[in-house]
């Protein structure tokens, strides 16, 4: 299927284990797994309406392990009241954030994109640590629809491509499936599966 029509969002990709760990038993209107669109790219997202704090335990497996993510505010609220959200990641409850970034797409066009970030966990190889993901509001948190996408522990580069690209956003949302197969294609080998 090349195009998907939806009142809100397309069918989502499966969420990986880190977002599932973070929301386990805490799903609400303010914290959940959902699709979010930033700069016309719709992605599976760990949604945290500020103020919010989520913590989970992880054990980095190598000196190359990082937690990688993209952050953003839903473009649906860029023209609404609000003054941005501070995203931060802390390790083991430290008062100093391992990652911190203020995002305000209403007042800064450079924040009108998915913003990539990462935290190096290599120093904790083989040790169980607590990772805390926090969103903090400014003066007005009414429309702080903030989210973390591509959130995972990985030794691989962050993939920021979205399968679904918003191509029309009026009375209905139309998404283009950027990974659709062509109408016809040739294969060089066939394997029978029983």
């Amino acid at each position: 299927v090349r195009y998907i029509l939806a009142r809100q969002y397309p069918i989502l990709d499966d969420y990986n284990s880190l977002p599932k760990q973070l929301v386990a038993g805490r799903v609400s209107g303010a914290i959940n797994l959902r699709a979010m669109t930033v700069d016309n790219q719709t992605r599976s997202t760990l949604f945290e309406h500020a103020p919010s704090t989520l913590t989970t335990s992880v054990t980095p497996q190598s000196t190359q392990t990082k937690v990688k993510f993209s952050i953003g505010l839903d473009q649906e609220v860029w023209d609404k009241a609000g003054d941005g959200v501070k995203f931060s990641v802390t390790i083991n409850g430290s008062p100093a954030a391992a990652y911190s970034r203020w995002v305000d797409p209403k007042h800064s066009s450079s924040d009108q994109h998915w913003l990539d970030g990462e935290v190096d966990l290599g120093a904790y190889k083989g040790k169980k640590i607590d990772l805390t993901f926090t969103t903090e509001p400014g003066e007005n948190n009414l429309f702080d629809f903030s989210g973390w996408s591509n959130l995972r522990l990985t030794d691989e580069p962050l993939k920021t491509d979205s399968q679904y690209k918003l191509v029309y956003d009026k009375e209905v949302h139309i998404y283009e499936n950027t990974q659709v197969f062509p109408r016809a294609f040739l294969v060089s080998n066939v394997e029978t599966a029983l």
Side-chain angles (χ1 to χ4, degrees):
V1 176
R2 175 100 188 231
Y3 293 98
I4 298 170
L5 280 70
R7 290 193 182 271
Q8 288 188 338
Y9 304 105
I11 297 170
L12 300 179
D13 300 329
D14 287 337
Y15 293 93
N16 67 34
S17 62
L18 189 55
K20 285 180 184 176
Q21 282 176 243
L22 284 159
V23 301
R26 302 176 193 128
V27 174
S28 68
I31 298 171
N32 56 63
L33 301 176
R34 65 169 232 191
M36 201 170 85
T37 304
V38 176
D39 197 21
N40 295 324
Q41 289 185 21
T42 301
R43 297 184 183 178
S44 302
T45 306
L46 168 60
F47 177 79
E48 268 193 292
H49 188 284
S52 176
T53 300
L54 295 173
T55 301
T56 192
S57 297
V58 299
T59 305
Q61 298 301 307
S62 80
T63 57
Q64 303 302 311
T65 302
K66 297 179 183 183
V67 60
K68 294 190 174 191
F69 49 84
S70 298
I71 56 175
L73 267 63
D74 197 317
Q75 70 187 40
E76 229 176 80
V77 298
W78 290 354
D79 62 347
K80 308 255 188 301
D83 50 3
V85 171
K86 180 181 176 184
F87 291 79
S88 60
V89 180
T90 56
I91 300 171
N92 290 334
S94 170
Y99 173 88
S100 181
R101 170 124 190 212
W102 187 264
V103 179
D104 184 6
K106 180 176 182 175
H107 299 101
S108 174
S109 61
S110 64
D111 289 347
Q112 295 178 351
H113 308 281
W114 286 108
L115 305 166
D116 297 336
E118 67 180 35
V119 175
D120 187 349
L121 303 177
Y124 303 96
K125 177 187 171 190
K127 299 175 185 170
K128 186 175 179 180
I129 60 171
D130 289 333
L131 283 178
T132 301
F133 297 83
T134 303
T135 56
E136 297 176 53
E139 302 251 335
N140 181 345
N141 77 332
L142 187 59
F143 292 102
D144 286 348
F145 295 180
S146 48
W148 309 76
S149 83
N150 292 329
L151 177 59
R152 64 189 179 272
L153 292 175
T154 181
D155 298 335
E156 300 298 320
L158 179 63
K159 181 181 177 189
T160 58
D161 297 330
S162 176
Q163 179 174 357
Y164 302 104
K165 178 181 176 190
L166 183 66
V167 293
Y168 183 81
D169 184 19
K170 300 282 189 240
E171 67 279 1
V172 68
H173 297 267
I174 301 176
Y175 296 88
E176 180 181 4
N177 181 353
T178 61
Q179 298 175 18
V180 70
F181 290 117
R183 288 183 180 208
F185 55 91
L186 299 174
V187 294
S188 60
N189 191 15
V190 176
E191 184 177 321
T192 304
L194 298 176

